[in-house]
Structure formats: C-alpha cells, structure tokens
C-alpha cells in the first residue's frame, strides 16, 4: 500500500514470525515517529547479531563469549546436565528455578523426515562431556512431540551403558488445565506416569 | 536471560509496540537461524527509514518521492479530499474501495490534553488546497473518539463558510456486531444517525 522506505520496513518486518501485515505497519509508523536512536539501536543490534553471536564451547548455548554464563558459574551443579533441543529452551527451564545444574544444547531434534540424524546434533559433544566430567545425572528435556520423543529414546539407549542416571521430564496434565479438555495422548501419558501417593 | 548480541536484539525488539518478551525472543532466534540477507534487509530498511522517508508535498502522506502515488494519479477524483489523522489511516480507507478521491493527512488530532492545537496540524495546508483547487467535497475521516470528534467539529466550523460540501464518516453499529453488546455511545450515535428507509 505504501511506497519507498516505509514499505520496505513493513515488508521486512512482515517476514518475521508472529508479525502480520497490520502489526508490521503499526511498528513501522511507530519507528518513524520514535526517536532516531530507537531505530538505530535496533538496526545496529540486527547487524551485529550474525557477526558476533557465538555459541558456548561447552554447552553450545548462544553466548557472548567463549563460555556461557551458566557454564562459567562455579555455584551451579556441574554434575547434572539438562539436555535441551535449542538455546531458547533454556530460559523456560531457568524460569522454573527448579534446576541449578548446567545445560547441553543439541541444536535440534532427530527428524528422519527433515533429514536430521544423530550426526547433525551435538550428541558426540555430549558424550565427550560425560567422559571428561564427573556427571551423575543427565536430564533429557527434549520436547514432548514425535521428534523430541525419538531423540529422547535414542539418547536413553546411547547413555544407558555409561552408568549415569538418565531421566526425562514428566509428561502429563498441565497445571491449571481441565481434565475434561485434555487431549487423549496427554491424558494417556498422565496415566502412564501416575505417582503412587499411598502404597497399598 | 541471554547475553551479548542476541540479548541486544531481544531488548530492541521488545521495545516495539505489540511485541512482548516471548515474541522478541522468538524473532531473535528466527533471525539467528535465517539467511543472512533476511537480517541484512531488515537492518538496511530500518537504517534507510528515517533518512529517506518523505511526505507528499500535497497531502502529507508518507511517500517515496515529492508527490505520493495517490496525488500523482490523474485517474483519481481530485475534487474530493478525505481528511485523515495519519498516513496509516489511508490504507484502511483504500481497502474499502469506496473512495476514489485524494487525501489530506493532518498529522494527528486536536488534543488540548497533549498540547496539540490547530497550528500543530496541517490545517493551514488544507485551506491552501481548498483555495487553489476545484474541490467540491471534504470528507472528514478523523477517528470517532474525543480528539477526532473535536477535530471534526473544528474543521466543520472552519470550512463551512467556504461553500464546499463537508461530510463526516457515519458512526454507528459495526457490521457483524451484535446490538445487544454495543456500547451505549455507539448505539446512541447509531440512533442519531439513523437513515429513513420509508418516508411517512
């Protein structure tokens, strides 16, 4: 609809996930009216992203330096490694405040459909970490979907001979959800994973 | 939560309207995984925005050149001017395909609360256009809210001595809406603006 520089911004924003044409237009006009440094800061941050983004040499999470903040934090429990698919899974787990160990980012999940095999993930690097360090538990936190389940099964088989505790996040009814509206697969998993409260 | 370049992108995106912290994170990781030219195109478009964005010298809509596409289109009816608050109101009206005239962008609405008076809007420029051109109708399309109403009232008083038809967009029940859930002001306006279907 528009022309020139504003339309270029609208088009470029419209390609981002979760931003429709109306949001893109709204943001573009916001930027046009905003202070110069709002736009400059965003433009610079974007230009720097690909150049300067690095991955932690230990856990492969996105990082500012050679090692990420979590791996270089001595107060964390380095004997527990939580295996996740992507860097963006880490803050979700950090927000729970349930885990004080360290992470290992696989870089995706096994997916024969998309041609992603074990060699495309950082599984060899995980095995190296398990060899070097005094790791006692590996917690598999891949997503509870087909690819995540396949990855978890593969890892369990791979890690079971190593004498390390291997666990996986519980799958079941989400807290605050309504049993009546739970899908049958989630409900089935909740049954299979039920916890005994009183031993009979 | 993250550090370095990715967090800078997340922070900068998070300041945009309609983008929360989760969307910002999602977009940042999307950009990290996407082709270099997606990020480059967005960064360049943003850098160009402020430098190269211009406003049409006739209607003050955002434009690529001296005159916008609509003002320089000879097939449009230059005798009808639709007065809007901002450039982003124009595509909304264009989508209706009801209007084939030209526009005039005020650059906002009168707002004593925010200290926006007639001199802050492009009202003098509108009067100049009405003097120069053979304009027969001015359609006031300011928003149906306090400031938009005040602006419309002001314009009606200003333009009434000029012998030009001045109209305002109808206010009433939105199409597809439910009368039961209409707010009383909208419903009141729908009553006041009712159309006689059979003359009694």
């Amino acid at each position: 609809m528009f022309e020139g520089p504003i339309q270029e911004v609208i088009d470029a924003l419209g390609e981002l996930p979760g931003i429709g044409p109306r949001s893109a237009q709204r943001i573009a006009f916001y930027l046009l009216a905003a202070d110069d440094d709002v736009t400059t800061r965003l433009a610079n941050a974007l230009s720097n992203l690909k150049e300067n983004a690095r991955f932690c040499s230990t856990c492969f999470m996105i990082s500012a330096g050679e090692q990420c903040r979590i791996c270089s934090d001595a107060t964390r429990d380095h004997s527990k490694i939580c295996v996740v698919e992507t860097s963006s899974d880490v803050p979700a787990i950090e927000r729970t405040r349930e885990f004080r160990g360290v992470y290992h980012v696989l870089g995706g999940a096994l997916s024969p459909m998309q041609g992603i095999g074990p060699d495309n993930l950082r599984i060899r690097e995980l095995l190296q970490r398990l060899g070097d360090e005094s790791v006692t538990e590996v917690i598999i936190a891949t997503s509870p979907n087909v690819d995540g389940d396949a990855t978890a099964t593969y890892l369990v088989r791979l890690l079971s001979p190593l004498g390390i505790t291997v666990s996986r996040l519980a799958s079941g009814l989400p807290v605050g959800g309504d049993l009546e509206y739970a899908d049958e697969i989630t409900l089935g998993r909740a049954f299979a994973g039920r916890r005994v409260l009183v031993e009979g």
Side-chain angles (χ1 to χ4, degrees), chain A residues 9-10 60 67 69 73-74 89 91 143 151 153 155 188:
Chain A
V9 172
I10 294 174
F60 301 100
Q67 266 211 332
R69 258 193 322 222
D73 182 349
D89 294 330
S143 290
T151 311
T153 310
L155 287 176

Side-chain angles (χ1 to χ4, degrees), chain A residues 33-82:
Chain A
D35 281 347
D36 270 8
D37 53 309
V38 174
T39 318
T40 311
R41 206 159 75 85
L42 179 56
N44 289 345
L46 289 168
S47 307
N48 283 334
L49 178 62
K50 292 280 183 135
E51 249 166 76
N52 299 334
R54 298 172 64 181
F55 296 91
C56 171
S57 60
T58 307
C59 75
F60 301 100
M61 189 170 80
I62 187 127
S63 166
E66 169 73 10
Q67 266 211 332
C68 74
R69 258 193 322 222
I70 294 174
C71 285
S72 53
D73 182 349
T75 69
R76 297 193 66 124
D77 182 355
H78 287 253
S79 73
K80 288 188 168 60
I81 297 181
C82 179

Side-chain angles (χ1 to χ4, degrees), chain A residues 16 30 49 75 133 168:
Chain A
L16 303 180
Y30 166 84
L49 178 62
T75 69
E133 295 171 59
R168 183 159 191 217

Side-chain angles (χ1 to χ4, degrees), chain A residues 166-182:
Chain A
V166 179
S167 62
R168 183 159 191 217
L169 294 193
S171 201
L173 298 173
V175 176
D178 198 324
L179 194 136
E180 187 181 346
Y181 299 114

Side-chain angles (χ1 to χ4, degrees), chain A residues 114-154:
Chain A
Q114 291 174 53
I116 300 174
D119 292 343
N120 303 113
L121 304 179
R122 304 211 184 270
I123 291 176
R124 202 179 313 121
E125 289 84 349
L126 174 63
L127 291 175
Q128 273 168 12
R129 286 179 77 181
L130 299 180
D132 291 358
E133 295 171 59
S134 54
V135 177
T136 56
E137 184 176 2
V138 170
I139 298 161
I140 301 173
T142 54
S143 290
N145 55 30
V146 177
D147 292 346
D149 286 351
T151 311
T153 310
Y154 179 85

